[in-house]
Amino acid sequence: MAKAIHSMIRVLDGERSVDFYRSAFGFEIADRLDFDSFTLIYLKNDESGFELELTVNKGRSEPYALGDGYGHFAVSVGDLDAEHNRLETLGLAPNRIVEFKRDEVMIARFFFITDPDGYKIEVLERSGRFQSI
């Protein structure tokens, strides 16, 4: 079976992005591969082996167009309210908490936060379907 190991996003300023993901999710640099025209920065934390690969194309000064195909990646946390408050205190402007229900049954509690390049990250509470993720 296939195992998900990383997801890649292109970022304009590698250090700014590393600072954001470190502050927001405790991601640290697992590896950095520097090439002539680009740098790959792999981030992870102790919660899982999954990595976020940041690709920094050298010499680029314009932000990336993210397009109109909405996408995001997600992380899970034990205490959604505390995490939301922590991110607000850091000035990272998380969106409001949403309670997603079907027939009055809670499916998920979550909020979104946006990184410095405009990518959306969903922060889910570990419960229900997302209990063990």
Side-chain angles (χ1 to χ4, degrees):
M1 298 294 281
K3 178 181 177 182
I5 59 171
H6 79 252
S7 182
M8 183 279 283
I9 59 175
R10 296 185 190 282
V11 300
L12 195 57
D13 181 333
E15 295 313 310
R16 180 181 70 170
S17 293
V18 168
D19 288 345
F20 172 83
Y21 285 99
R22 179 179 289 131
S23 296
F25 307 115
F27 285 9
E28 295 294 339
I29 296 173
D31 203 359
R32 180 187 293 258
L33 304 173
D34 195 33
F35 298 92
D36 289 340
S37 61
F38 64 94
T39 299
L40 303 177
I41 304 168
Y42 294 90
L43 304 176
K44 65 185 267 187
N45 66 22
D46 293 337
E47 292 293 317
S48 83
F50 187 82
E51 294 181 331
L52 179 62
E53 175 188 325
L54 306 179
T55 298
V56 183
N57 290 308
K58 296 178 181 177
R60 183 172 180 103
S61 59
E62 295 180 25
Y64 288 96
L66 301 185
D68 61 1
Y70 180 80
H72 67 272
F73 81 94
V75 299
S76 66
V77 298
D79 185 336
L80 190 73
D81 297 295
E83 193 65 12
H84 190 272
N85 289 337
R86 185 183 72 80
L87 294 169
E88 276 187 326
T89 300
L90 290 173
L92 297 179
N95 292 359
R96 68 179 175 80
I97 293 176
V98 173
E99 293 188 350
F100 186 53
K101 296 179 180 180
R102 179 186 292 153
D103 299 325
E104 297 305 312
V105 175
M106 183 71 68
I107 296 171
R109 289 185 75 232
F110 64 91
F111 63 86
F112 280 87
I113 188 168
T114 305
D115 85 352
D117 290 276
Y119 294 104
K120 305 291 185 195
I121 301 102
E122 183 178 15
V123 181
L124 288 149
E125 185 170 68
R126 287 187 194 122
S127 63
R129 182 183 187 289
F130 307 103
Q131 183 81 23
S132 62
I133 296 177

